[in-house]
Amino acid sequence: MTRYLLCTFCVSLLAICFALGAKADDASAQTHVAAAQAAVSPAVANPDQPFQVFQAFFKQWCAPPKQLPDVVRQENRRIPTSREEWYQPPVRMFDQLYFIGTKGTGVYAISSPDGIAMIDTNFEWDAKDLVAELKDFGLDPQQNLKYIIVTHGHDDRYWGAKSLQETYPKAHVIMSAADWDVVAKDNSPESVKPKRDMVATDGQKLKMGDVTITMYITPGHTPGTISLIIAGLTNKQSKHPDDARHVASVWGGVDINLGRAGVQYYPDGQTMMKTYIASTKRFKELNEKAGVDTILSTTLGHINMNERMQAWRTMNGAPGVTPEMAGKLANEPDPFVSKDAVERYYTILENCYEAQLAWRMDP
């Protein structure tokens, strides 16, 4: 009887400890959720720039995980889409920086007297069309495309790289060593896998005229995700010029992945989230030191990029924009430039990742 009572007491005690631990983890998560929520909106609201509010981004990444433990995602094969489904007009964001992506995916290019660098490729069925958009700005990719930086080894980033290697033989494809290995192992068709080329190292710089692209290895989204700081951008040739030298950053990948396309990246969810957090903290500090004032997103919805580009098109009198429409935004700030937005974006990211770790902690 005594032994039975002792066992019952121990089971009850373990249940209490488990419940207390779970409550403590959730309390820690909610503390970080509150810190992220506080960064969603600018201190002073601007009704003409609603895209500076990161509510959707916050709600997506500060929500408790739907499934635990984390599992490797086994993607279905991507199905080619028609041009009308993915196309949106390219945008000259700065004198040297161009958006050439799709309705949902951020693909960018940097032009200089030293050549053109492309950031990500999207898929094999649209990559060549995206590069061809540079001709709209008088640029010649056939002669000048020099680098193709792949931020991470996922289908929407690298599947177009092989076709670009074949079309533009002067261009070097750059990935981290870890992600070249991911690409070699994943279950994507061999027909889309690029030939192994340049290997990015942490802190490596590409000098493109007056613009310097610095690549940092930020494990998280993949084991070798590359995040970028692009310094020396200018805005003298738009209808809303300034005399500043701007610095942009690209966080290489937000989504939480234990693994994808048949490749497991991390042994468990806790290790995964600790990796994300360490990379985010480091890159946030690098942004602060570099004076970053512009965010570029690999996934456009994360920073309301489509709305920002539409505002810029309107301010600069794009086709179909009336003088009255342009005049309404004539005195508005540049929609891409905001140190406050940069700070809030990385604050949300860091705290949502911290909350995700807390939800994955064993009580």
Side-chain angles (χ1 to χ4, degrees):
M1 183 68 175
T2 302
R3 181 178 297 175
Y4 170 78
L5 290 173
L6 181 60
C7 289
T8 302
F9 172 77
C10 290
V11 170
S12 299
L13 183 61
L14 283 171
I16 292 170
C17 290
F18 184 91
L20 289 174
K23 287 182 179 179
D25 292 339
D26 189 62
S28 174
Q30 293 306 321
T31 297
H32 288 293
V33 169
Q37 189 166 27
V40 164
S41 300
V44 179
N46 182 347
D48 291 318
Q49 291 201 336
F51 45 75
Q52 299 294 12
V53 178
F54 298 136
Q55 183 64 29
F57 183 63
F58 160 75
K59 288 179 70 175
Q60 183 175 6
W61 300 112
C62 268
K66 295 179 180 178
Q67 176 184 339
L68 287 178
D70 298 276
V71 296
V72 175
R73 294 165 57 184
Q74 303 287 340
E75 262 76 15
N76 295 322
R77 293 287 185 259
R78 300 277 189 160
I79 300 172
T81 56
S82 66
R83 181 180 174 85
E84 66 180 14
E85 291 179 273
W86 60 258
Y87 176 78
Q88 74 164 312
V91 177
R92 188 174 191 173
M93 299 173 61
F94 293 96
D95 296 340
Q96 309 91 340
L97 176 66
Y98 304 82
F99 169 84
I100 56 170
T102 68
K103 290 178 180 177
T105 302
V107 178
Y108 305 92
I110 295 152
S111 68
S112 77
D114 298 328
I116 299 169
M118 183 178 180
I119 301 170
D120 288 332
T121 72
N122 214 42
F123 299 109
E124 80 276 21
W125 58 80
D126 59 18
K128 288 189 281 188
D129 284 346
L130 298 181
V131 173
E133 291 175 353
L134 293 171
K135 297 177 183 177
D136 293 355
F137 305 101
L139 302 176
D140 182 0
Q142 190 65 51
Q143 293 298 319
N144 297 318
L145 184 60
K146 189 172 182 179
Y147 300 112
I148 300 167
I149 303 169
V150 177
T151 58
H152 57 271
H154 287 164
D155 50 11
D156 59 341
R157 302 296 143 188
Y158 85 80
W159 271 21
K162 184 174 182 179
S163 66
L164 296 183
Q165 279 182 324
E166 294 169 351
T167 305
Y168 303 101
K170 295 180 182 178
H172 290 285
V173 176
I174 304 175
M175 268 191 273
S176 67
D179 276 24
W180 276 117
D181 290 343
V182 165
V183 168
K185 296 174 186 175
D186 78 17
N187 59 23
S188 297
E190 289 299 320
S191 61
V192 300
K193 295 189 177 186
K195 178 180 65 178
R196 189 173 179 120
D197 194 358
M198 288 182 64
V199 177
T201 57
D202 188 61
Q204 181 177 352
K205 296 181 184 297
L206 295 179
K207 186 75 172 173
M208 308 293 295
D210 293 331
V211 175
T212 300
I213 306 169
T214 307
M215 298 178 284
Y216 295 99
I217 311 302
T218 53
H221 192 57
T222 59
T225 295
I226 299 173
S227 295
L228 308 169
I229 291 180
I230 306 166
L233 299 170
T234 57
N235 174 31
K236 297 182 182 296
Q237 299 180 39
S238 74
K239 293 182 180 179
H240 291 265
D242 61 55
D243 292 323
R245 293 184 70 81
H246 299 282
V247 185
S249 74
V250 181
W251 176 246
V254 171
D255 296 26
I256 295 169
N257 296 290
L258 187 72
R260 281 176 70 168
V263 181
Q264 184 161 340
Y265 304 154
Y266 307 104
D268 53 66
Q270 291 183 26
T271 302
M272 172 183 71
M273 291 317 308
K274 289 175 182 177
T275 303
Y276 273 85
I277 291 164
S279 292
T280 308
K281 287 179 180 291
R282 177 189 179 224
F283 195 60
K284 185 181 179 189
E285 291 177 358
L286 289 167
N287 273 251
E288 292 168 354
K289 291 178 182 177
V292 171
D293 62 9
T294 301
I295 314 166
L296 304 178
S297 181
T298 57
T299 301
L300 302 187
H302 290 168
I303 60 166
N304 309 315
M305 191 67 173
N306 286 322
E307 293 81 0
R308 292 173 189 272
M309 291 192 293
Q310 184 55 51
W312 190 242
R313 290 187 187 104
T314 301
M315 293 170 72
N316 284 279
V321 174
T322 66
E324 290 75 19
M325 293 168 63
K328 289 181 180 179
L329 299 181
N331 297 318
E332 287 298 309
D334 186 319
F336 303 123
V337 175
S338 171
K339 284 189 176 182
D340 173 71
V342 174
E343 170 65 25
R344 289 187 295 107
Y345 172 82
Y346 286 107
T347 296
I348 293 169
L349 198 61
E350 180 184 340
N351 279 283
C352 288
Y353 285 160
E354 290 277 13
Q356 294 295 336
L357 173 61
W359 282 315
R360 286 165 168 80
M361 294 300 289
D362 293 328

